[in-house]
Coordinates of all heavy atoms in Angstrom, one line a residue:
M1 N 0.8 -1.2 0.0 CA 0.0 0.0 0.0 C 0.9 1.3 0.0 O 1.8 1.4 0.8 CB -0.8 0.0 1.3 CG -2.3 0.3 1.3 SD -3.1 0.6 -0.1 CE -4.2 -0.3 -0.8
H2 N 0.6 2.2 -0.9 CA 1.4 3.4 -1.0 C 0.4 4.6 -0.9 O -0.7 4.6 -1.3 CB 2.2 3.5 -2.3 CG 3.3 2.6 -2.3 ND1 3.2 1.3 -2.7 CD2 4.6 2.7 -2.0 CE1 4.4 0.7 -2.6 NE2 5.3 1.5 -2.2
C3 N 1.0 5.7 -0.3 CA 0.2 6.9 -0.2 C 0.0 7.5 -1.6 O 1.0 7.6 -2.4 CB 0.9 7.9 0.7 SG 0.2 9.6 0.7
L4 N -1.2 7.9 -2.0 CA -1.5 8.3 -3.3 C -0.8 9.6 -3.6 O -0.4 9.9 -4.7 CB -3.0 8.6 -3.4 CG -3.5 9.1 -4.8 CD1 -3.4 8.0 -5.8 CD2 -4.9 9.6 -4.7
R5 N -0.5 10.4 -2.6 CA 0.0 11.8 -2.8 C 1.6 11.8 -2.8 O 2.2 12.4 -3.7 CB -0.5 12.7 -1.7 CG -0.2 14.2 -1.9 CD -1.1 15.0 -1.0 NE -0.8 16.4 -1.0 CZ -0.1 17.0 0.0 NH1 0.3 16.3 1.0 NH2 0.1 18.3 0.0
C6 N 2.2 11.1 -1.8 CA 3.7 11.2 -1.8 C 4.3 9.9 -2.1 O 5.6 9.8 -2.1 CB 4.1 11.7 -0.4 SG 3.8 10.5 0.9
N7 N 3.5 8.8 -2.3 CA 4.0 7.5 -2.6 C 4.8 6.8 -1.5 O 5.5 5.8 -1.8 CB 4.9 7.6 -3.9 CG 4.8 6.3 -4.8 OD1 3.7 5.7 -4.8 ND2 5.8 6.0 -5.5
R8 N 4.8 7.3 -0.3 CA 5.4 6.7 0.8 C 4.7 5.4 1.1 O 3.5 5.2 0.9 CB 5.2 7.6 2.0 CG 6.0 7.4 3.3 CD 5.4 8.1 4.4 NE 5.1 9.5 4.1 CZ 5.9 10.6 4.4 NH1 7.0 10.4 5.0 NH2 5.5 11.8 4.1
E9 N 5.5 4.4 1.5 CA 4.9 3.1 1.8 C 4.1 3.1 3.1 O 4.6 3.7 4.1 CB 6.0 2.0 1.8 CG 5.4 0.6 1.7 CD 6.4 -0.5 1.7 OE1 7.6 -0.2 1.6 OE2 6.0 -1.6 1.9
I10 N 2.9 2.6 3.1 CA 2.1 2.5 4.3 C 2.1 1.0 4.7 O 1.5 0.2 4.0 CB 0.7 3.1 4.1 CG1 0.8 4.5 3.7 CG2 -0.1 2.9 5.4 CD1 -0.5 5.1 3.1
E11 N 2.7 0.7 5.8 CA 2.8 -0.7 6.3 C 1.5 -1.1 6.9 O 0.8 -0.3 7.4 CB 4.0 -0.9 7.2 CG 5.3 -0.8 6.5 CD 6.5 -0.8 7.5 OE1 6.5 -1.7 8.4 OE2 7.3 0.1 7.4
T12 N 1.2 -2.4 6.8 CA 0.0 -2.9 7.4 C -0.1 -2.6 8.8 O 0.8 -2.8 9.6 CB -0.1 -4.4 7.2 OG1 0.4 -4.7 5.9 CG2 -1.5 -5.0 7.3
G13 N -1.3 -2.1 9.2 CA -1.4 -1.7 10.7 C -1.0 -0.4 11.1 O -1.3 0.1 12.2
H14 N -0.2 0.3 10.1 CA 0.2 1.7 10.4 C -0.9 2.7 10.2 O -1.8 2.4 9.4 CB 1.4 2.1 9.6 CG 2.7 1.5 10.2 ND1 3.9 2.1 10.0 CD2 2.9 0.4 10.9 CE1 4.8 1.3 10.6 NE2 4.3 0.3 11.1
K15 N -0.8 3.8 10.9 CA -1.9 4.8 10.8 C -1.9 5.4 9.4 O -0.9 5.8 8.8 CB -1.7 5.9 11.8 CG -1.9 5.4 13.2 CD -1.8 6.6 14.2 CE -2.0 6.1 15.6 NZ -0.9 5.4 16.2
S16 N -3.1 5.5 8.8 CA -3.3 6.1 7.5 C -4.8 6.4 7.3 O -5.6 6.0 8.1 CB -2.8 5.2 6.4 OG -3.6 4.0 6.3
V17 N -5.1 7.0 6.2 CA -6.5 7.2 5.9 C -6.8 6.5 4.6 O -6.1 6.6 3.6 CB -6.9 8.7 5.7 CG1 -8.2 8.9 5.1 CG2 -6.7 9.5 7.0
A18 N -7.9 5.7 4.6 CA -8.2 4.9 3.4 C -9.6 5.4 2.9 O -10.5 5.6 3.6 CB -8.3 3.4 3.7
L19 N -9.6 5.6 1.6 CA -10.8 6.0 0.9 C -11.2 4.9 0.0 O -10.5 4.4 -0.8 CB -10.6 7.2 0.0 CG -10.7 8.6 0.7 CD1 -9.7 9.6 0.0 CD2 -12.1 9.1 0.5
Y20 N -12.5 4.4 0.2 CA -13.0 3.3 -0.7 C -13.9 3.9 -1.7 O -14.8 4.7 -1.4 CB -13.7 2.3 0.2 CG -12.8 1.6 1.2 CD1 -12.6 2.1 2.4 CD2 -12.1 0.5 0.8 CE1 -11.8 1.6 3.4 CE2 -11.2 -0.1 1.7 CZ -11.1 0.4 3.0 OH -10.2 -0.2 3.9
M21 N -13.7 3.5 -2.9 CA -14.6 4.0 -4.0 C -15.1 2.9 -4.9 O -14.3 2.0 -5.3 CB -13.7 5.0 -4.8 CG -14.5 6.1 -5.3 SD -13.4 7.5 -5.7 CE -13.0 7.1 -7.4
F22 N -16.4 2.9 -5.2 CA -16.9 2.1 -6.2 C -18.1 2.8 -6.8 O -18.7 3.7 -6.2 CB -17.3 0.7 -5.7 CG -18.5 0.7 -4.8 CD1 -19.8 0.4 -5.4 CD2 -18.5 0.9 -3.4 CE1 -20.9 0.4 -4.6 CE2 -19.6 0.9 -2.6 CZ -20.8 0.7 -3.2
A23 N -18.5 2.4 -8.0 CA -19.6 3.0 -8.7 C -20.7 1.9 -8.9 O -20.3 0.7 -9.2 CB -19.2 3.6 -10.0
Q24 N -21.9 2.3 -8.9 CA -23.0 1.3 -9.3 C -24.1 2.1 -10.0 O -24.3 3.2 -9.7 CB -23.4 0.5 -8.0 CG -24.3 1.3 -7.1 CD -24.8 0.4 -6.0 OE1 -24.2 -0.6 -5.6 NE2 -26.0 0.8 -5.4
T25 N -24.8 1.3 -10.8 CA -25.9 1.9 -11.5 C -27.1 2.0 -10.6 O -27.3 1.1 -9.7 CB -26.2 1.1 -12.8 OG1 -26.5 -0.2 -12.4 CG2 -25.1 1.2 -13.8
V26 N -28.0 3.0 -10.8 CA -29.2 3.1 -10.1 C -30.4 3.1 -11.0 O -30.3 3.8 -12.1 CB -29.2 4.4 -9.2 CG1 -30.5 4.6 -8.4 CG2 -28.0 4.4 -8.2
G27 N -31.4 2.4 -10.7 CA -32.6 2.4 -11.6 C -32.4 1.6 -12.9 O -33.2 1.8 -13.8
I28 N -31.4 0.8 -13.0 CA -31.2 0.0 -14.1 C -31.0 -1.4 -13.7 O -30.3 -1.7 -12.7 CB -29.8 0.4 -14.9 CG1 -30.0 1.9 -15.3 CG2 -29.5 -0.5 -16.0 CD1 -28.6 2.5 -15.8
K29 N -31.8 -2.3 -14.4 CA -31.7 -3.7 -14.0 C -31.1 -4.5 -15.1 O -31.5 -4.3 -16.3 CB -33.1 -4.2 -13.6 CG -33.5 -3.8 -12.2 CD -34.8 -4.3 -11.8 CE -35.1 -3.7 -10.4 NZ -36.4 -4.0 -9.9
P30 N -30.2 -5.4 -14.9 CA -29.7 -5.7 -13.6 C -28.7 -4.6 -13.1 O -28.1 -4.0 -14.0 CB -28.9 -7.0 -13.8 CG -28.5 -7.0 -15.2 CD -29.6 -6.3 -16.0
R31 N -28.6 -4.4 -11.8 CA -27.7 -3.4 -11.3 C -26.2 -3.8 -11.6 O -25.8 -4.9 -11.4 CB -27.9 -3.3 -9.8 CG -27.0 -2.4 -9.1 CD -27.3 -2.2 -7.7 NE -28.4 -1.3 -7.5 CZ -29.0 -0.9 -6.4 NH1 -28.5 -1.4 -5.2 NH2 -29.9 -0.1 -6.3
Q32 N -25.5 -2.8 -12.0 CA -24.1 -3.0 -12.3 C -23.2 -2.3 -11.2 O -23.6 -1.2 -10.8 CB -23.7 -2.4 -13.6 CG -24.1 -3.3 -14.8 CD -23.8 -2.6 -16.1 OE1 -24.5 -1.6 -16.5 NE2 -22.7 -3.0 -16.7
K33 N -22.2 -3.0 -10.9 CA -21.3 -2.5 -9.8 C -19.9 -2.6 -10.3 O -19.5 -3.7 -10.7 CB -21.5 -3.3 -8.5 CG -21.2 -2.7 -7.3 CD -21.8 -3.5 -6.1 CE -21.1 -3.1 -4.8 NZ -21.6 -3.9 -3.7
S34 N -19.1 -1.5 -10.1 CA -17.7 -1.6 -10.5 C -16.9 -2.2 -9.4 O -17.4 -2.4 -8.3 CB -17.2 -0.1 -10.7 OG -17.0 0.5 -9.5
A35 N -15.7 -2.5 -9.7 CA -14.8 -3.0 -8.7 C -14.5 -1.9 -7.7 O -14.6 -0.7 -8.0 CB -13.5 -3.5 -9.4
A36 N -14.2 -2.3 -6.5 CA -14.0 -1.3 -5.4 C -12.5 -1.0 -5.4 O -11.6 -1.8 -5.6 CB -14.4 -1.8 -4.1
H37 N -12.2 0.3 -5.3 CA -10.8 0.8 -5.2 C -10.5 1.3 -3.8 O -11.4 1.9 -3.2 CB -10.5 1.9 -6.2 CG -10.5 1.3 -7.6 ND1 -9.4 1.0 -8.3 CD2 -11.6 1.1 -8.5 CE1 -9.7 0.5 -9.5 NE2 -11.0 0.6 -9.6
R38 N -9.3 1.1 -3.4 CA -8.9 1.6 -2.1 C -7.8 2.6 -2.3 O -6.8 2.3 -2.9 CB -8.5 0.5 -1.2 CG -8.1 0.9 0.2 CD -7.4 -0.3 0.9 NE -6.5 0.2 1.9 CZ -6.5 -0.2 3.2 NH1 -7.4 -1.2 3.5 NH2 -5.8 0.3 4.1
I39 N -8.0 3.8 -1.8 CA -7.0 4.8 -2.0 C -6.5 5.2 -0.6 O -7.3 5.4 0.3 CB -7.6 6.1 -2.7 CG1 -8.1 5.7 -4.1 CG2 -6.6 7.2 -2.7 CD1 -9.1 6.7 -4.7
S40 N -5.2 5.2 -0.4 CA -4.6 5.5 0.9 C -3.9 6.8 1.0 O -3.2 7.2 0.0 CB -3.7 4.4 1.4 OG -4.5 3.2 1.6
F41 N -3.9 7.4 2.1 CA -3.1 8.6 2.4 C -2.4 8.4 3.7 O -3.0 8.0 4.7 CB -4.0 9.9 2.5 CG -4.6 10.3 1.2 CD1 -5.9 10.1 0.9 CD2 -3.8 10.9 0.2 CE1 -6.5 10.4 -0.3 CE2 -4.4 11.3 -1.0 CZ -5.7 11.1 -1.3
C42 N -1.1 8.8 3.7 CA -0.3 8.7 5.0 C -0.8 9.8 5.9 O -1.4 10.8 5.4 CB 1.2 8.8 4.7 SG 1.7 10.4 4.1
P43 N -0.5 9.7 7.2 CA -1.0 10.8 8.1 C -0.5 12.2 7.7 O -1.3 13.2 7.8 CB -0.4 10.4 9.5 CG -0.2 8.9 9.4 CD 0.2 8.7 7.9
Q44 N 0.8 12.3 7.3 CA 1.3 13.6 6.9 C 0.5 14.3 5.7 O 0.2 15.4 5.8 CB 2.8 13.5 6.4 CG 3.7 13.1 7.5 CD 4.0 11.6 7.5 OE1 3.0 10.9 7.6 NE2 5.2 11.2 7.5
C45 N 0.2 13.5 4.7 CA -0.5 14.0 3.6 C -2.0 14.3 4.0 O -2.6 15.2 3.5 CB -0.5 13.0 2.4 SG 1.1 13.0 1.6
S46 N -2.6 13.4 4.8 CA -4.0 13.6 5.3 C -4.1 15.0 6.0 O -5.0 15.8 5.7 CB -4.4 12.5 6.2 OG -4.2 11.3 5.7
V47 N -3.1 15.2 6.9 CA -3.2 16.5 7.7 C -2.9 17.7 6.7 O -3.6 18.7 6.8 CB -2.1 16.4 8.8 CG1 -2.0 17.8 9.5 CG2 -2.6 15.4 9.8
S48 N -1.9 17.5 5.9 CA -1.5 18.5 4.9 C -2.7 18.9 4.0 O -3.0 20.1 3.7 CB -0.3 18.1 4.2 OG -0.1 18.9 3.0
L49 N -3.3 17.9 3.5 CA -4.5 18.1 2.6 C -5.6 18.8 3.3 O -6.2 19.8 2.9 CB -5.0 16.8 2.0 CG -4.2 16.1 0.9 CD1 -4.6 14.7 0.7 CD2 -4.3 16.9 -0.4
A50 N -5.9 18.3 4.5 CA -7.0 18.8 5.3 C -6.8 20.3 5.7 O -7.8 21.1 5.7 CB -7.2 18.0 6.6
M51 N -5.6 20.7 5.9 CA -5.3 22.0 6.4 C -5.0 22.9 5.2 O -4.9 24.1 5.3 CB -4.1 22.0 7.3 CG -4.4 21.2 8.6 SD -3.4 21.7 9.9 CE -4.0 20.6 11.2
G52 N -4.9 22.3 4.0 CA -4.6 23.1 2.8 C -5.8 23.7 2.2 O -6.9 23.6 2.7
L53 N -5.6 24.4 1.1 CA -6.7 25.0 0.3 C -7.6 23.9 -0.3 O -7.1 22.8 -0.6 CB -6.1 25.9 -0.8 CG -5.4 27.1 -0.3 CD1 -4.6 27.8 -1.4 CD2 -6.3 28.1 0.4
P54 N -8.8 24.2 -0.5 CA -9.7 23.2 -1.2 C -9.2 22.9 -2.6 O -8.7 23.8 -3.3 CB -11.1 23.9 -1.3 CG -10.8 25.3 -0.9 CD -9.6 25.4 -0.2
P55 N -9.3 21.6 -3.0 CA -8.8 21.2 -4.3 C -9.8 21.6 -5.4 O -10.9 22.0 -5.1 CB -8.6 19.7 -4.2 CG -9.7 19.3 -3.2 CD -9.8 20.5 -2.3
E56 N -9.4 21.5 -6.7 CA -10.3 21.7 -7.8 C -11.0 20.4 -8.2 O -10.4 19.3 -8.0 CB -9.5 22.3 -9.0 CG -9.4 23.8 -8.9 CD -8.6 24.3 -10.1 OE1 -8.9 23.9 -11.2 OE2 -7.8 25.2 -9.9
G57 N -12.2 20.5 -8.6 CA -12.9 19.3 -9.1 C -13.8 18.8 -8.0 O -13.5 18.7 -6.9
A58 N -15.0 18.4 -8.5 CA -16.1 18.0 -7.6 C -15.7 16.7 -6.8 O -15.9 16.6 -5.6 CB -17.4 17.7 -8.3
L59 N -15.0 15.8 -7.5 CA -14.7 14.5 -6.8 C -13.6 14.7 -5.8 O -13.6 14.2 -4.7 CB -14.2 13.5 -7.9 CG -14.4 12.0 -7.7 CD1 -15.9 11.7 -7.3 CD2 -14.0 11.3 -8.9
N60 N -12.6 15.5 -6.1 CA -11.5 15.9 -5.2 C -12.1 16.6 -4.0 O -11.6 16.4 -2.9 CB -10.5 16.8 -5.9 CG -9.6 16.0 -6.9 OD1 -9.6 14.8 -6.8 ND2 -9.1 16.8 -7.8
M61 N -13.0 17.5 -4.2 CA -13.7 18.2 -3.2 C -14.4 17.3 -2.2 O -14.3 17.5 -1.0 CB -14.7 19.2 -3.9 CG -15.2 20.3 -3.0 SD -13.9 21.5 -2.7 CE -14.8 22.5 -1.6
A62 N -15.1 16.3 -2.7 CA -15.8 15.3 -1.9 C -14.8 14.6 -1.0 O -15.0 14.4 0.2 CB -16.6 14.4 -2.8
A63 N -13.7 14.2 -1.6 CA -12.7 13.4 -0.8 C -12.1 14.3 0.2 O -11.8 13.9 1.4 CB -11.6 12.9 -1.8
W64 N -11.8 15.6 -0.2 CA -11.2 16.6 0.8 C -12.1 16.8 2.0 O -11.6 16.8 3.1 CB -11.0 17.9 0.0 CG -10.3 18.9 0.8 CD1 -9.0 19.0 1.2 CD2 -10.9 20.2 1.2 NE1 -8.8 20.2 1.8 CE2 -9.9 20.9 1.8 CE3 -12.2 20.8 1.0 CZ2 -10.1 22.2 2.4 CZ3 -12.4 22.0 1.5 CH2 -11.4 22.7 2.2
D65 N -13.4 16.9 1.7 CA -14.3 17.0 2.8 C -14.3 15.9 3.8 O -14.3 16.1 5.0 CB -15.8 17.1 2.3 CG -16.2 18.6 2.0 OD1 -15.5 19.5 2.6 OD2 -17.1 18.8 1.2
M66 N -14.2 14.7 3.3 CA -14.1 13.5 4.1 C -12.9 13.4 5.0 O -12.9 13.1 6.1 CB -14.3 12.2 3.3 CG -15.7 12.1 2.7 SD -15.9 10.5 1.9 CE -15.2 10.7 0.3
I67 N -11.7 13.8 4.3 CA -10.5 13.7 5.0 C -10.4 14.8 6.1 O -10.0 14.6 7.2 CB -9.3 13.9 4.0 CG1 -9.2 12.7 3.1 CG2 -8.0 14.1 4.7 CD1 -8.3 12.9 1.9
R68 N -11.0 16.0 5.8 CA -11.1 17.1 6.8 C -11.9 16.7 8.0 O -11.6 17.0 9.1 CB -11.7 18.3 6.1 CG -10.7 19.1 5.3 CD -10.8 20.5 5.5 NE -12.2 21.0 5.2 CZ -12.5 22.3 5.4 NH1 -11.6 23.1 5.8 NH2 -13.7 22.7 5.1
D69 N -13.0 15.9 7.7 CA -13.8 15.4 8.8 C -13.0 14.6 9.8 O -13.1 14.7 11.0 CB -14.9 14.5 8.2 CG -16.3 15.1 8.1 OD1 -16.3 16.3 8.5 OD2 -17.2 14.5 7.8
L70 N -12.2 13.7 9.2 CA -11.4 12.7 10.0 C -10.3 13.5 10.8 O -10.1 13.3 12.0 CB -10.8 11.7 9.2 CG -11.7 10.7 8.5 CD1 -10.9 9.7 7.7 CD2 -12.6 10.0 9.5
V71 N -9.6 14.3 10.1 CA -8.5 15.0 10.7 C -8.9 16.0 11.8 O -8.3 16.1 12.8 CB -7.6 15.8 9.6 CG1 -6.6 16.7 10.2 CG2 -7.0 14.8 8.7
S72 N -10.1 16.6 11.6 CA -10.5 17.6 12.5 C -11.3 17.0 13.7 O -11.4 17.7 14.8 CB -11.5 18.6 11.8 OG -12.6 18.0 11.3
S73 N -11.7 15.8 13.6 CA -12.5 15.2 14.7 C -11.6 14.6 15.8 O -12.1 14.4 16.9 CB -13.5 14.2 14.1 OG -12.8 13.1 13.5
D74 N -10.4 14.2 15.5 CA -9.6 13.6 16.5 C -8.1 13.9 16.2 O -7.7 13.9 15.1 CB -9.8 12.1 16.4 CG -9.2 11.3 17.6 OD1 -7.9 11.1 17.6 OD2 -9.9 10.9 18.5
P75 N -7.3 14.2 17.3 CA -5.9 14.5 17.0 C -5.0 13.4 16.7 O -3.8 13.5 16.5 CB -5.5 15.2 18.3 CG -6.4 14.7 19.3 CD -7.7 14.3 18.7
A76 N -5.5 12.1 16.6 CA -4.6 11.0 16.4 C -3.8 11.0 15.1 O -2.7 10.7 15.1 CB -5.5 9.7 16.5
L77 N -4.5 11.5 14.1 CA -3.8 11.6 12.8 C -2.7 12.7 12.8 O -1.6 12.5 12.3 CB -4.7 11.9 11.6 CG -5.4 10.7 10.9 CD1 -6.5 11.1 10.0 CD2 -4.3 9.9 10.2
N78 N -3.0 13.8 13.5 CA -2.1 14.9 13.6 C -0.9 14.4 14.4 O 0.3 14.7 14.1 CB -2.7 16.1 14.4 CG -3.8 16.8 13.5 OD1 -3.5 17.6 12.8 ND2 -5.0 16.3 13.7
E79 N -1.2 13.6 15.4 CA -0.1 13.1 16.3 C 0.8 12.2 15.5 O 2.0 12.2 15.7 CB -0.8 12.4 17.5 CG -0.1 12.5 18.8 CD -1.0 12.0 19.9 OE1 -0.9 10.8 20.2 OE2 -1.8 12.8 20.4
A80 N 0.2 11.3 14.7 CA 1.0 10.4 13.9 C 1.9 11.1 12.9 O 3.0 10.8 12.7 CB 0.1 9.4 13.2
A81 N 1.3 12.2 12.3 CA 2.1 13.0 11.4 C 3.2 13.7 12.1 O 4.3 13.8 11.6 CB 1.1 14.0 10.7
W82 N 2.9 14.2 13.3 CA 3.9 14.9 14.1 C 5.1 14.0 14.5 O 6.2 14.4 14.4 CB 3.3 15.5 15.3 CG 4.3 16.2 16.2 CD1 4.9 17.4 16.1 CD2 4.8 15.6 17.4 NE1 5.7 17.6 17.1 CE2 5.7 16.6 17.9 CE3 4.6 14.4 18.1 CZ2 6.5 16.3 19.1 CZ3 5.4 14.2 19.2 CH2 6.3 15.1 19.7
K83 N 4.7 12.8 14.9 CA 5.7 11.8 15.3 C 6.6 11.5 14.2 O 7.9 11.4 14.3 CB 5.1 10.6 15.8 CG 4.7 10.7 17.3 CD 4.3 9.3 17.9 CE 3.8 9.5 19.3 NZ 2.7 8.7 19.6
S84 N 6.0 11.3 13.0 CA 6.8 10.9 11.8 C 7.8 12.1 11.4 O 8.9 11.9 11.1 CB 5.9 10.6 10.7 OG 6.6 10.5 9.5
L85 N 7.2 13.3 11.5 CA 8.0 14.5 11.2 C 9.2 14.7 12.2 O 10.3 15.0 11.8 CB 7.1 15.7 11.2 CG 7.8 17.1 10.9 CD1 8.4 17.1 9.4 CD2 6.9 18.2 11.1
S86 N 8.9 14.5 13.5 CA 9.9 14.7 14.5 C 11.0 13.6 14.4 O 12.2 13.9 14.8 CB 9.3 14.7 15.9 OG 8.8 13.5 16.3
R87 N 10.7 12.4 13.9 CA 11.7 11.4 13.7 C 12.6 11.9 12.6 O 13.8 11.7 12.7 CB 11.0 10.1 13.2 CG 11.0 9.0 14.3 CD 10.8 7.6 13.7 NE 9.7 7.5 12.7 CZ 8.5 7.3 13.0 NH1 8.1 7.2 14.3 NH2 7.6 7.2 12.1
V88 N 12.1 12.5 11.5 CA 12.9 12.9 10.4 C 13.8 14.1 10.9 O 15.0 14.1 10.6 CB 12.1 13.4 9.2 CG1 12.9 14.0 8.2 CG2 11.3 12.2 8.7
S89 N 13.3 15.0 11.7 CA 14.0 16.2 12.2 C 15.1 15.7 13.1 O 16.2 16.3 13.2 CB 13.1 17.1 12.9 OG 12.0 17.5 12.1
G90 N 14.8 14.6 13.9 CA 15.8 14.1 14.8 C 17.1 13.6 14.2 O 18.1 13.5 14.8
L91 N 16.9 13.3 12.9 CA 18.1 12.7 12.1 C 19.0 13.8 11.7 O 20.2 13.6 11.4 CB 17.6 11.9 10.9 CG 16.8 10.7 11.2 CD1 16.3 10.1 9.9 CD2 17.5 9.6 12.0
L92 N 18.5 15.1 11.6 CA 19.4 16.2 11.2 C 20.3 16.5 12.4 O 19.9 16.5 13.6 CB 18.5 17.4 10.9 CG 17.6 17.3 9.7 CD1 16.6 18.5 9.7 CD2 18.4 17.2 8.4
P93 N 21.6 16.9 12.1 CA 22.5 17.3 13.2 C 22.0 18.6 13.8 O 21.5 19.5 13.1 CB 23.8 17.5 12.5 CG 23.5 17.7 11.0 CD 22.2 16.9 10.8
A94 N 22.1 18.6 15.1 CA 21.8 19.9 15.8 C 22.8 20.9 15.4 O 24.0 20.7 15.7 CB 21.7 19.6 17.3
T95 N 22.4 22.0 14.9 CA 23.3 23.0 14.4 C 24.1 23.6 15.5 O 23.5 24.0 16.6 CB 22.5 24.2 13.7 OG1 21.3 23.6 13.2 CG2 23.3 24.8 12.5
G96 N 25.4 23.7 15.3 CA 26.2 24.4 16.4 C 26.8 23.4 17.4 O 27.7 23.7 18.0
T97 N 26.2 22.2 17.4 CA 26.8 21.2 18.4 C 27.4 20.0 17.7 O 28.3 19.5 18.2 CB 25.7 20.7 19.4 OG1 24.6 20.2 18.6 CG2 25.1 21.8 20.2
D98 N 26.9 19.6 16.6 CA 27.4 18.5 15.8 C 28.0 19.0 14.5 O 27.6 20.0 14.0 CB 26.3 17.5 15.5 CG 25.9 16.7 16.8 OD1 26.8 16.5 17.7 OD2 24.8 16.3 16.9
G99 N 28.9 18.2 13.9 CA 29.4 18.4 12.6 C 30.2 19.7 12.5 O 30.6 20.2 13.5
D100 N 30.3 20.2 11.3 CA 31.1 21.4 11.1 C 30.3 22.6 11.6 O 29.1 22.8 11.3 CB 31.3 21.6 9.6 CG 32.2 20.5 9.0 OD1 33.1 20.0 9.8 OD2 32.0 20.2 7.9
P101 N 31.0 23.5 12.4 CA 30.3 24.7 12.9 C 30.0 25.6 11.7 O 31.0 25.8 10.9 CB 31.2 25.3 13.9 CG 32.5 24.6 13.7 CD 32.3 23.4 12.9
T102 N 28.9 26.1 11.5 CA 28.6 27.1 10.4 C 28.8 28.5 10.9 O 28.3 28.8 12.0 CB 27.2 26.8 9.9 OG1 26.3 26.8 10.9 CG2 27.1 25.5 9.1
P103 N 29.4 29.3 10.2 CA 29.6 30.7 10.6 C 28.3 31.5 10.9 O 28.2 32.3 11.8 CB 30.4 31.4 9.5 CG 30.4 30.4 8.3 CD 30.0 29.1 8.9
S104 N 27.3 31.2 10.0 CA 26.0 31.8 10.2 C 25.3 31.3 11.5 O 24.7 32.1 12.2 CB 25.2 31.7 9.0 OG 25.0 30.3 8.6
G105 N 25.4 30.0 11.6 CA 24.8 29.4 12.8 C 23.2 29.4 12.8 O 22.7 30.4 12.4
G106 N 22.6 28.4 13.2 CA 21.2 28.4 13.3 C 20.4 28.2 12.1 O 19.2 28.2 12.1
Y107 N 21.1 28.0 10.9 CA 20.4 27.7 9.7 C 20.8 26.3 9.2 O 21.9 25.9 9.4 CB 20.9 28.7 8.6 CG 20.4 30.1 8.9 CD1 21.3 31.0 9.5 CD2 19.1 30.5 8.5 CE1 20.9 32.3 9.7 CE2 18.7 31.8 8.8 CZ 19.6 32.7 9.4 OH 19.2 34.0 9.6
F108 N 19.8 25.7 8.7 CA 20.0 24.4 8.1 C 20.5 24.6 6.7 O 19.9 25.5 6.0 CB 18.7 23.5 8.0 CG 18.3 23.1 9.4 CD1 17.0 23.4 9.9 CD2 19.1 22.2 10.1 CE1 16.6 23.0 11.1 CE2 18.7 21.8 11.4 CZ 17.5 22.2 11.9
E109 N 21.4 23.8 6.3 CA 21.9 23.9 4.9 C 21.6 22.7 4.2 O 22.0 21.6 4.6 CB 23.4 24.2 4.8 CG 23.7 25.7 5.2 CD 25.2 26.0 5.2 OE1 25.9 25.3 5.9 OE2 25.5 26.8 4.4
F110 N 20.8 22.8 3.1 CA 20.4 21.6 2.3 C 21.2 21.5 1.1 O 21.7 22.4 0.5 CB 18.9 21.7 2.0 CG 18.0 21.6 3.2 CD1 17.4 22.7 3.6 CD2 17.8 20.4 3.9 CE1 16.6 22.7 4.8 CE2 17.0 20.3 5.0 CZ 16.4 21.5 5.4
Ligands
LIG1 ZN1 1.7 10.7 1.9

């Protein structure tokens, strides 16, 4: 399973948001039903999408609304996104204490 937005791998049992999508005919017999698709977003992308500007397109808008519902109703996803971000930041050397001292100090150099 990969995040649709950033392609990060989402391991089984890890926190993520899953969107299930299928289409079916209404008022037509026999009823036809498409295969169901599962779309996943990692916590970082879920939070980022929810807090960002509304997307374009009716379908994107519907998905955005649902993700916003989840992100705003409980801090668990925010927390998961924060934990993952702080893990990445923890890997960077603390400026001024590790590695080469930079004359400017306090700035990250990428
Ligand atoms: Zn992602």
